Structures are given as C-alpha cells and as structure tokens.
Amino acid sequence: MTWIKDQYTFMHGHKEINAEGCATGKFIHQGGIDGRNESTGLGVYYGVKELMKLESFYEKAGLTKGLAGKTFVMQGFGAVGYWASKFFEKDGAKIVAIIEHNSAIYNQNGIDVESAKKYFNKKGTFDGFRGATEQEL
C-alpha cells in the first residue's frame, strides 16, 4: 500500500495533508499505524452501516433500514473480513457464510464469528467446523 501513498505524494506534492492517509495497510515506518488490526474491517462496517441509513439505497434494494436482522456473506476471513464480521454481528446482523481460499461454510441461522475465527486459526481451514455446514468451492 505504500506505493499508493508514494504515487499520491508524487502527484500532489509532499505537503499534501492527505498523503499519509490515502491508503491503509502501510508499514509503520512508512506512515502506518501500530495496533489497529480492526481499522479496515471497522471502515467496511461503518461504510455499510451508513449506506443502510440511506432510504434511496435500502428501498431500491428491497431492504429495510439498518443492519439488524440482515444477512451477510464474508469473502475472506483475514483481518478485514473477521473484524467487519464482528462489528456486523455486534450490530444485530448475521454472518451466514464465510468463504476462504481453501474452504467455505454456511449456516442460515448465522455463524458464531469468534468460534469460526478460533477454529480457522487453529486448523487453517473450515473443514470440520461444527457451527456450520461445509460448502464446495
């Protein structure tokens, strides 16, 4: 991500106030922030949360206002997908499917995000996870 910041700085000058913040995921010594693993996932959550407040969006999509009761599918369960899932779940949404590079799971009633993360971290796959059914990739 540093190359994006570098290109932005090249195009807009080193005094441009937004240069350091134009991209997330930079190394600390290149303008990144230490200890904020949840930042990008939180950004995804806030973006979707704000979108679901817009009547012009949720009505066209055939949905109701807010995140509570909505279902989500997570493509990827690294830092971004995991943290976004945690915030969605905390706000009353259900994560019904998680897809990773080597496995996928589904539960129409919702997947316990923390249990899924602990299992994936330990096994490196969702194969055998008891809180959902395995899906073919």
Side-chain angles (χ1 to χ4, degrees):
M1 298 310 291
T2 301
W3 73 268
I4 294 174
K5 182 199 82 155
D6 291 345
Q7 185 61 34
Y8 186 96
T9 303
F10 176 76
M11 294 169 61
H12 299 283
H14 70 282
K15 292 185 179 184
E16 167 60 43
I17 193 168
N18 295 314
E20 290 294 320
C22 73
T24 63
K26 300 178 297 292
F27 293 108
I28 294 169
H29 66 280
Q30 295 172 331
I33 299 171
D34 187 22
R36 289 297 307 269
N37 293 331
E38 74 275 13
S39 294
T40 306
L42 183 60
V44 169
Y45 162 76
Y46 278 132
V48 174
K49 182 177 179 174
E50 291 303 309
L51 183 65
M52 292 305 296
K53 291 179 182 177
L54 295 175
E55 188 175 348
S56 61
F57 173 78
Y58 65 77
E59 282 190 348
K60 280 185 182 178
L63 299 169
T64 57
K65 185 176 182 178
L67 294 174
K70 305 297 185 298
T71 58
F72 289 85
V73 172
M74 276 299 138
Q75 171 66 45
F77 207 54
V80 178
Y82 165 68
W83 284 104
S85 295
K86 277 188 66 105
F87 293 119
F88 287 142
E89 184 179 61
K90 185 177 177 182
D91 213 1
K94 291 191 296 187
I95 308 304
V96 296
I98 303 171
I99 305 152
E100 255 300 335
H101 66 96
N102 60 355
S103 55
I105 52 175
Y106 173 78
N107 183 335
Q108 70 179 7
N109 298 314
I111 297 167
D112 180 275
V113 172
E114 204 56 42
S115 294
K117 185 63 173 175
K118 286 178 184 175
Y119 187 90
F120 191 83
N121 284 348
K122 183 178 181 180
K123 302 283 187 174
T125 180
F126 288 118
D127 294 344
F129 179 70
R130 295 180 188 211
T133 57
E134 296 173 31
Q135 303 296 303
E136 188 175 330
L137 292 177

